């Protein structure tokens, strides 16, 4: 839940959220807690206004940092609409109905679903889109963003990527999603490294979200029944 809260657009409640996250750090594995604390410290040092500006510059203006998971598999194609619908159907099958106006493949929404869902369907969604998570992680590391700490914390909770996921990641950063290009350099130890050789420059414009703006509050999934 910590990554879900902190990966969303920084709200006026950021200081309260950071305090709540820090209160839970002692119960988390050391690597995860370390990355979360590092983000909290950097966010506090930047301040709310600067963090908001950085968030928009990073996630709204860089394709390789887009937080919409289906983008990495489908690009801006018609197939992406079906992929987003699949996210919604999986959440409904688990007994959750989204209450905020945001696409269901938005990473903070998926992370909240994974935290609340006891059937493991949310974790399966994250695993299915692991190569996309690795693209985001590596891009944030390249950019020197404090948000890289949150992606490092997230991937530290997931199993090591298998050979198929690694191959899919390498293909994604060399060819990009359908109709698009994503160029990245290698991330730090512990992630999947980019293959050697020249890489295309990242595109500046973000993928289409259809969300109508940056959300400022956490998603809510009231359990049905």
């Amino acid at each position: 839940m910590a990554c879900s809260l902190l990966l969303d657009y920084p709200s006026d409640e950021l200081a309260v959220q950071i305090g709540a996250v820090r209160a839970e750090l002692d119960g988390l594995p050391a690597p995860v807690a370390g990355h979360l604390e590092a983000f909290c410290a950097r966010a506090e040092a930047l301040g709310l206004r600067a963090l908001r500006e950085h968030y928009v510059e990073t996630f709204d203006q860089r394709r390789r940092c887009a937080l919409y998971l289906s983008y990495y598999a489908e690009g801006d194609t018609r197939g992406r609409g079906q992929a987003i619908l699949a996210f919604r159907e999986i959440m409904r099958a688990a007994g959750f109905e989204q209450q905020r106006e945001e696409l269901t493949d938005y990473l903070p929404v998926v992370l909240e679903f994974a935290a609340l869902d006891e059937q493991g369907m949310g974790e399966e969604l994250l695993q299915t889109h692991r190569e996309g998570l690795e693209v985001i992680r590596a891009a944030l590391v390249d950019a020197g963003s404090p948000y890289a700490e949150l992606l490092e914390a997230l991937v530290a909770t997931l199993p090591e990527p298998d050979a198929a996921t690694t191959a899919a990641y390498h293909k994604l950063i060399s060819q990009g999603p359908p109709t698009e290009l994503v160029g990245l350099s290698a991330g730090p130890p512990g992630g999947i490294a980019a293959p050697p050789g020249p890489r295309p420059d990242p595109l500046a414009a973000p993928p289409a979200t259809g969300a109508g703006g940056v959300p400022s509050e956490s998603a809510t999934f009231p359990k049905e029944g």
Side-chain angles (χ1 to χ4, degrees), residues 4-85:
S4 173
L5 287 174
L6 299 178
L7 268 174
D8 214 339
Y9 181 74
S11 75
D12 292 338
E13 301 299 316
L14 179 64
V16 175
Q17 293 171 343
I18 287 176
V21 169
R22 279 181 165 148
E24 301 297 325
L25 292 183
D26 288 344
L28 299 175
V32 176
H35 287 302
L36 291 175
E37 171 55 34
F39 172 81
C40 291
R42 293 184 66 182
E44 287 180 326
L46 280 172
L48 181 59
R49 179 175 179 178
L51 188 64
R52 283 174 167 170
E53 292 175 351
H54 174 74
Y55 188 98
V56 171
E57 177 186 352
T58 300
F59 296 116
D60 288 6
Q61 298 179 12
R62 302 185 186 193
R63 287 187 180 275
R64 60 181 183 165
C65 296
L67 293 178
Y68 296 88
L69 294 181
S70 69
Y71 169 69
Y72 298 96
E74 302 294 341
D76 286 329
T77 66
R78 293 182 181 180
R80 187 168 171 229
Q82 292 299 316
I84 293 171
L85 179 61

Side-chain angles (χ1 to χ4, degrees), residues 12-192:
D12 292 338
E13 301 299 316
L14 179 64
V16 175
Q17 293 171 343
I18 287 176
V21 169
R22 279 181 165 148
E24 301 297 325
L25 292 183
D26 288 344
L28 299 175
V32 176
H35 287 302
L36 291 175
E37 171 55 34
F39 172 81
C40 291
R42 293 184 66 182
E44 287 180 326
L46 280 172
L48 181 59
R49 179 175 179 178
L51 188 64
R52 283 174 167 170
E53 292 175 351
H54 174 74
Y55 188 98
V56 171
E57 177 186 352
T58 300
F59 296 116
D60 288 6
Q61 298 179 12
R62 302 185 186 193
R63 287 187 180 275
R64 60 181 183 165
C65 296
L67 293 178
Y68 296 88
L69 294 181
S70 69
Y71 169 69
Y72 298 96
E74 302 294 341
D76 286 329
T77 66
R78 293 182 181 180
R80 187 168 171 229
Q82 292 299 316
I84 293 171
L85 179 61
F87 275 80
R88 181 178 295 111
E89 292 305 315
I90 288 171
M91 292 175 183
R92 284 177 176 171
F96 292 88
E97 189 71 33
Q98 186 179 333
Q99 295 298 301
R100 70 186 263 183
E101 292 186 3
E102 183 56 84
L103 298 181
T104 49
D105 66 335
Y106 181 52
L107 182 54
V109 170
V110 177
L111 289 174
E112 184 170 358
F113 170 59
L116 297 174
D117 173 41
E118 298 179 353
Q119 304 176 51
M121 298 175 75
E123 293 181 7
E124 288 184 14
L125 275 177
L126 293 172
Q127 284 292 93
T128 299
H129 294 272
R130 179 63 184 271
E131 60 267 30
L133 293 175
E134 288 290 345
V135 169
I136 300 169
R137 181 200 64 79
L140 292 173
V141 169
D142 281 358
S145 171
Y147 286 97
E149 300 290 354
L150 299 181
L151 267 293
E152 296 286 14
L154 171 58
V155 300
T157 68
L158 301 175
E160 287 294 318
D162 58 21
T165 299
T166 301
Y169 168 77
H170 286 165
K171 180 178 179 180
L172 185 57
I173 63 171
S174 64
Q175 300 181 15
T179 74
E180 305 295 347
L181 293 175
V182 180
L184 301 174
S185 65
I192 305 176

Side-chain angles (χ1 to χ4, degrees), residues 188-211:
I192 305 176
R199 296 176 296 272
D201 291 334
L203 300 177
T209 66

